[in-house]
Amino acid sequence: QKEVEQNSGPLSVPEGAIASLNCTYSDRGSQSFFWYRQYSGKSPELIMSIYSNGDKEDGRFTAQLNKASQYVSLLIRDSQPSDSATYLCAVSNTGNQFYFGTGTSLTVIP
Amino acid sequence: EAGVTQFPSHSVIEKGQTVTLRCDPISGHDNLYWYRRVMGKEIKFLLHFVKESKQDESGMPNNRFLAERTGGTYSTLKVQPAELEDSGVYFCASSQVWDGPLHFGNGTRLTVT
């Protein structure tokens, strides 16, 4: 069983729609959760971090964490073509190791 | 603030040769990580430095890989001798605090032929 699971996609949404990205993790001791965006050939770029249950909003992005169900999600409102990228979920329990999912490819169709 | 920089961006070497990758973290970031992504797989942890000390190197594949961070500034990752399965993108990341968000470099794409 992988530490972090993501649907690989591709996920396609029309411009202006809400994109919903999901991630599940196996270690119940995980404490820190991150979403990264990676454009092709570029480095992963931090979008959101979340540490406690509930929702965290930053602009068009909302991260949701449910530790009891061991999932974390990312919602992107009013999706733009520039949001087209691979989104990586990362989870940490100790700070030594961050476990990554394989990423979900998102395409926003103009 | 300068980001994490990695050199070289690409390296193509033959099996059995040696390659050294370099990473310069963000200034003031004590935590430095090496990660690797093999094609089609997830980004996987290799090791973690806190300043010049190796905090966790459990992700290093074998003794052909050697990482150093002399003086607690930049880090090098040496692969000697390289094997075909070592091909992938090697990312360096740094963070200011333990368990804090990682800031990634652009990676070094290593191809072993």
Side-chain angles (χ1 to χ4, degrees):
Chain A
Q1 181 187 10
K2 290 185 178 180
E3 297 281 347
V4 178
E5 300 262 13
Q6 290 181 258
N7 287 329
S8 61
L11 173 66
S12 294
V13 300
E15 184 174 355
I18 295 175
S20 178
L21 307 166
N22 299 311
C23 169
T24 59
Y25 58 94
S26 61
D27 186 350
R28 283 195 170 274
S30 299
Q31 297 293 325
S32 306
F33 307 85
F34 307 91
W35 281 99
Y36 287 84
R37 176 176 64 198
Q38 186 176 22
Y39 294 111
S40 181
K42 300 295 185 181
S43 62
E45 171 193 11
L46 179 70
I47 299 176
M48 295 282 287
S49 58
I50 186 166
Y51 302 92
S52 54
N53 281 327
D55 294 0
K56 179 181 178 182
E57 185 175 319
D58 184 0
R60 296 186 295 112
F61 298 97
T62 299
Q64 299 173 317
L65 174 62
N66 184 324
K67 290 186 178 180
S69 300
Q70 295 175 243
Y71 86 79
V72 58
S73 63
L74 179 70
L75 300 178
I76 306 175
R77 291 181 300 281
D78 187 25
S79 296
Q80 301 297 308
S82 59
D83 295 327
S84 298
T86 296
Y87 289 80
L88 302 168
C89 173
V91 174
S92 172
N93 59 359
T94 66
N96 266 334
Q97 298 192 26
F98 291 72
Y99 295 94
F100 286 82
T102 53
T104 298
S105 175
L106 172 66
T107 300
V108 180
I109 303 168
Chain B
E1 174 184 81
V4 177
T5 57
Q6 291 187 245
F7 181 85
S9 57
H10 293 82
S11 180
V12 181
I13 60 172
E14 293 181 353
K15 176 181 173 181
Q17 290 185 322
T18 297
V19 63
T20 300
L21 314 181
R22 172 170 170 146
C23 168
D24 287 76
I26 293 173
S27 178
H29 282 197
D30 288 340
N31 297 278
L32 186 150
Y33 303 79
W34 283 98
Y35 281 82
R36 178 174 72 173
R37 185 166 196 170
V38 174
M39 185 180 295
K41 302 290 187 181
E42 68 271 24
I43 296 173
K44 281 200 168 181
F45 170 83
L46 295 178
L47 88 160
H48 172 206
F49 284 100
V50 177
K51 296 185 180 179
E52 69 276 8
S53 300
K54 291 177 185 175
Q55 188 67 30
D56 182 351
E57 55 183 330
S58 61
M60 296 287 262
N62 49 59
N63 59 10
R64 295 185 294 102
F65 289 75
L66 175 64
E68 295 180 322
R69 193 183 182 193
T70 306
T73 54
Y74 71 91
S75 175
T76 58
L77 178 65
K78 179 189 288 187
V79 185
Q80 179 182 31
E83 298 289 345
L84 298 178
E85 63 264 27
D86 301 332
S87 296
V89 181
Y90 289 76
F91 288 105
C92 176
S94 69
S95 67
Q96 190 169 27
V97 298
W98 187 284
D99 207 24
L102 300 178
H103 300 266
F104 282 86
N106 283 332
T108 293
R109 182 174 296 277
L110 175 65
T111 302
V112 182
T113 62

